[in-house]
Amino acid sequence: MKVKLLCSVRNIPSNLFDDKNVDWIGVDRGTLELVNNQIKPISAVGDFDSVNEQELEQIRKAIDVYPVKKEKDDTDLALAVNLAVDMGYTEIEIYGATGGRLDHYMGAIQILTKPEFLKQDFKISLIDQQNHISVLKPGKHEIFRVGDMTYVSFVPLNTGIRIKLDELKYELPFTTLDQGSTLTISNEFKGGLERGFVQVELGNILIIQSKDI
């Protein structure tokens, strides 16, 4: 089961709202943006400090909301992801969480790498106009180009990870990567090919497909 989470309309793909046959969860102001695009979310999460009283009333006409306290232990996005997991969704796409405050961006990355999610078969992605970010766990993976993304990069999340890249522009035999390494940044798919193979051992990596705008 797949659900999409909207935090804002900052840096989102231009065709994001074209498909109405998908479940949405609004995250704070993202709820208002869904309503403004004639989409009724299945739920909404947040303290709603990014909307005014008139906008909150507009949201309430479309869906019941119960704002959480501003003083809380998790971000609105983290609460929304937890809700999606509790509702049984195993594929979670997050939009509007990048391109603004770096602390929010880093918090979103932390959600992708949460041990409880990595231990289970959850697919959680951060997506914007020029990036698609997710996690690859140990194993052999066939990866496919996302849309018109140009580059594919691999970022080690811990020290001592072993990685092997096949059928990409820059192939790599099994190599040990330590946290902080930039060896596997800015690879590409081979000309004419839309997929490649990645083998990961002894840890987890971020996979980032990206393009210049």
Side-chain angles (χ1 to χ4, degrees):
M1 292 174 59
K2 180 168 79 171
V3 66
K4 296 183 179 183
L5 276 56
L6 184 69
C7 302
S8 72
V9 291
R10 182 191 306 113
N11 201 26
I12 61 173
S14 58
N15 63 346
L16 182 59
F17 302 125
D18 289 354
D19 182 8
K20 305 295 184 181
N21 297 316
V22 64
D23 291 343
W24 281 96
I25 293 176
V27 184
D28 209 81
R29 187 175 182 83
T31 310
L32 176 66
E33 304 296 354
L34 290 173
V35 171
N36 285 338
N37 282 276
Q38 293 74 54
I39 295 172
K40 182 178 180 179
I42 60 169
S43 190
V45 178
D47 54 27
F48 295 95
D49 62 351
S50 60
V51 298
N52 59 38
E53 286 299 322
Q54 182 179 356
E55 290 169 331
L56 183 57
E57 184 59 30
Q58 182 182 347
I59 292 171
R60 284 184 165 135
K61 288 180 180 178
I63 182 175
D64 292 332
V65 293
Y66 304 95
V68 298
K69 294 180 179 179
K70 293 182 180 180
E71 297 78 16
K72 53 190 183 297
D73 294 333
D74 281 309
T75 63
D76 292 337
L77 176 56
L79 294 173
V81 172
N82 290 337
L83 173 63
V85 168
D86 290 342
M87 295 177 73
Y89 292 99
T90 55
E91 186 175 353
I92 301 169
E93 295 181 351
I94 301 169
Y95 296 89
T98 61
R101 284 173 49 181
L102 288 179
D103 55 343
H104 282 170
Y105 170 73
M106 293 304 297
I109 293 291
Q110 289 290 91
I111 293 170
L112 298 186
T113 63
K114 194 172 181 178
E116 300 95 296
F117 298 154
L118 293 176
K119 289 177 183 177
Q120 303 181 58
D121 194 25
F122 293 116
K123 297 179 180 178
I124 306 177
S125 304
L126 280 173
I127 302 171
D128 62 33
Q129 289 187 70
Q130 61 184 126
N131 301 283
H132 186 289
I133 309 170
S134 57
V135 175
L136 290 181
K137 299 188 291 187
K140 187 171 183 178
H141 307 272
E142 185 176 13
I143 61 169
F144 295 89
R145 185 197 301 271
V146 175
D148 60 349
M149 298 299 177
T150 305
Y151 306 103
V152 56
S153 299
F154 307 93
V155 181
L157 293 174
N158 52 276
T159 291
I161 292 176
R162 284 170 51 78
I163 186 172
K164 183 174 185 285
L165 305 177
D166 290 308
E167 297 191 30
L168 293 173
K169 182 175 182 179
Y170 304 108
E171 296 190 340
L172 187 70
F174 262 120
T175 301
T176 299
L177 298 181
D178 290 330
Q179 194 168 14
S181 171
T182 60
L183 175 66
T184 48
I185 299 295
S186 293
N187 207 323
E188 300 177 37
F189 290 93
K190 281 186 176 180
L193 296 181
E194 297 294 315
R195 62 101 174 94
F197 294 91
V198 183
Q199 195 160 344
V200 181
E201 294 180 352
L202 306 176
N204 305 295
I205 61 172
L206 285 178
I207 175 172
I208 305 172
Q209 293 197 43
S210 59
K211 65 179 180 180
D212 295 314
I213 292 182

